[in-house]
Amino acid sequence: MPKVVDKELMNQQIVFAALQAFVKHGFHNTSMSKIASEMGIAKGTLYLYFKSKDQLIEAITKQHFHNLKDRLVSQQNFNSVEALLSHIEGTLLISDEDSQFIPVFFEVFGPSFSSDKFINEYSNFFNEIAQFYTENLESLQTQGLIQQDLSPKYFGRVFVSMLDGIILHKGFFKINNTDYNLMVKEVIKLLRYGLN
Amino acid sequence: MPKVVDKELMNQQIVFAALQAFVKHGFHNTSMSKIASEMGIAKGTLYLYFKSKDQLIEAITKQHFHNLKDRLVSQQNFNSVEALLSHIEGTLLISDEDSQFIPVFFEVFGPSFSSDKFINEYSNFFNEIAQFYTENLESLQTQGLIQQDLSPKYFGRVFVSMLDGIILHKGFFKINNTDYNLMVKEVIKLLRYGLN
DNA sequence: TTTTATACTGACCACTCGGTCATTATAAAA
DNA sequence: TTTTATAATGACCGAGTGGTCAGTATAAAA
């Protein structure tokens, strides 16, 4: 009897439109009305799918980090330094779409950085990535493929910080792709020489 | 005849009070009225010194980065890789006091990350630091002290991103000093092997 | 003490925003 | 075609903001 609608699809469409608007104008300069009107729907409809603007950005963020982790952690292990370097290069060459989200993230969640709960969540995220690198470094080290004189545990963690720094700078400063690719090449060179 | 006031002093007092308020409540949750009332002056008075809220945050930002740069860029040039590494180690080993300010910084300025003006200022800051490293790398390269096969220009810029990432992670995730020092050691090792 | 150039005030304005809800539109079922 | 359960609407509200400006206070000079 009732009118039926694909809620899941609508959900995704809202998330997509909102993200686009946030990237373009910033979170605080994007009103719910604006999102609605750009979608050609009424503001009230947004509130049928998301209780609040906060809940909307939360959903976007959750999705972003979910995708991110899949990209950062490879399922297979690496049996050579070059395989590892290749994965790292792939990790660094993030899409503009992804890097554009970075300023939005900091704009929205900057004020949360004093919350322990918030920090712990992201701390765990990066620790898991670090663990992935640590395990691969240990394996390569056992096989004698990289320097014995480095600590996989600490190198793994600091390495993640470094990668994050590079990605953050791309996002913050909108470094153009030509320059950025050359920068990535330098990192790979450094690692190739430094790990052996 | 006229009433005379130390405008410079008043300026500084406003900047100080505004920063404190931003730190405490976040930029967007701090109204101009709030700043004024906490200073015991009227809102209108603020507008005699700063044309807009944006101009106020701009002044605060400028001052912050000015102080920071003095700490990060050494005046003298390095005549050996070890001297460079030593400076880098010093840069990374920032005090807890300084690193504790990082979350605060993002808490305060997070909401500004959608402003092009803010980003440009921030971008220039890091470019200048990168330039400092680029020049030193060029010099060391000319002397044959480091790998010929790297580009000082791009390495300098990406290197700054990496250092920033390490420092940011210390600040965000409150990595304890024991672990952090070991992490720094790994970076230095990587550079020592990788640059030669 | 009076004058006067400047500094300070705070009520007020115009506007925006997130969020609500009574009303209307829709499409599946009867 | 009528019924009906659900979806969509958008005018409206209250709260809050950045910014203004006519009027008032102040302190140096006359």
Side-chain angles (χ1 to χ4, degrees), chain A residues 10 14 17-18 21 30-47 56:
Chain A
M10 189 62 154
I14 292 174
T30 303
S31 65
M32 293 296 269
S33 310
K34 190 79 189 293
I35 296 169
S37 78
E38 291 206 358
M39 289 185 72
I41 64 172
K43 184 163 68 163
T45 308
L46 289 182
Y47 283 88
L56 178 52

Side-chain angles (χ1 to χ4, degrees), chain B:
Chain B
M1 297 169 187
K3 181 177 176 182
V4 168
V5 146
D6 186 339
K7 295 208 178 193
E8 189 48 46
L9 177 65
M10 189 63 151
N11 226 285
Q12 287 173 19
Q13 286 173 339
I14 292 174
V15 162
F16 181 79
L19 180 58
Q20 278 212 322
F22 292 157
V23 164
K24 199 165 181 182
H25 309 110
F27 180 76
H28 270 79
N29 285 321
T30 304
S31 65
M32 293 297 266
S33 310
K34 191 79 191 291
I35 296 169
S37 79
E38 289 205 0
M39 289 184 73
I41 66 173
K43 182 164 70 164
T45 308
L46 289 182
Y47 284 88
L48 298 177
Y49 292 86
F50 296 93
K51 268 190 186 168
S52 66
K53 196 183 181 185
D54 277 355
Q55 203 180 80
L56 178 53
I57 191 70
E58 201 182 324
I60 292 176
T61 309
K62 196 161 273 177
Q63 182 178 305
H64 174 78
F65 282 109
H66 181 78
N67 295 342
L68 200 61
K69 192 182 164 187
D70 283 350
R71 272 226 339 275
L72 296 188
V73 175
S74 154
Q75 290 312 318
Q76 94 243 351
N77 279 19
F78 307 114
N79 48 22
S80 72
V81 173
E82 286 306 319
L84 175 63
L85 293 182
S86 174
H87 177 258
I88 291 166
E89 194 168 3
T91 296
L92 287 176
L93 294 176
I94 63 170
S95 66
D96 281 345
E97 198 178 356
D98 280 340
S99 71
Q100 279 165 359
F101 180 72
I102 291 172
V104 172
F105 172 83
F106 279 91
E107 190 187 342
V108 174
F109 294 106
S112 307
F113 274 98
S114 64
S115 144
D116 284 346
K117 201 164 199 169
F118 179 86
I119 290 294
N120 277 340
E121 191 117 351
Y122 204 10
S123 185
N124 288 339
F125 172 78
F126 282 106
N127 284 341
E128 283 169 24
I129 312 286
Q131 183 59 27
F132 163 74
Y133 281 109
T134 294
E135 282 166 13
N136 275 284
L137 289 169
E138 271 169 356
S139 160
L140 291 171
Q141 205 176 44
T142 306
Q143 296 170 62
L145 296 175
I146 58 170
Q147 279 280 356
Q148 295 301 312
D149 177 29
L150 66 79
S151 152
K153 181 179 170 192
Y154 294 103
F155 190 90
R157 185 62 187 82
V158 79
F159 183 59
V160 166
S161 313
M162 290 159 74
L163 292 186
D164 194 34
I166 296 167
I167 290 171
L168 287 179
H169 274 231
K170 174 171 161 61
F172 287 155
F173 305 124
K174 306 182 200 334
I175 299 170
N176 72 66
N177 278 326
T178 310
D179 283 355
Y180 184 72
N181 290 347
L182 290 168
M183 284 163 60
V184 170
K185 285 263 181 290
E186 296 299 316
V187 178
I188 300 297
K189 268 191 262 176
L190 173 71
L191 290 170
R192 183 174 290 122
Y193 298 136
L195 290 176
N196 288 311

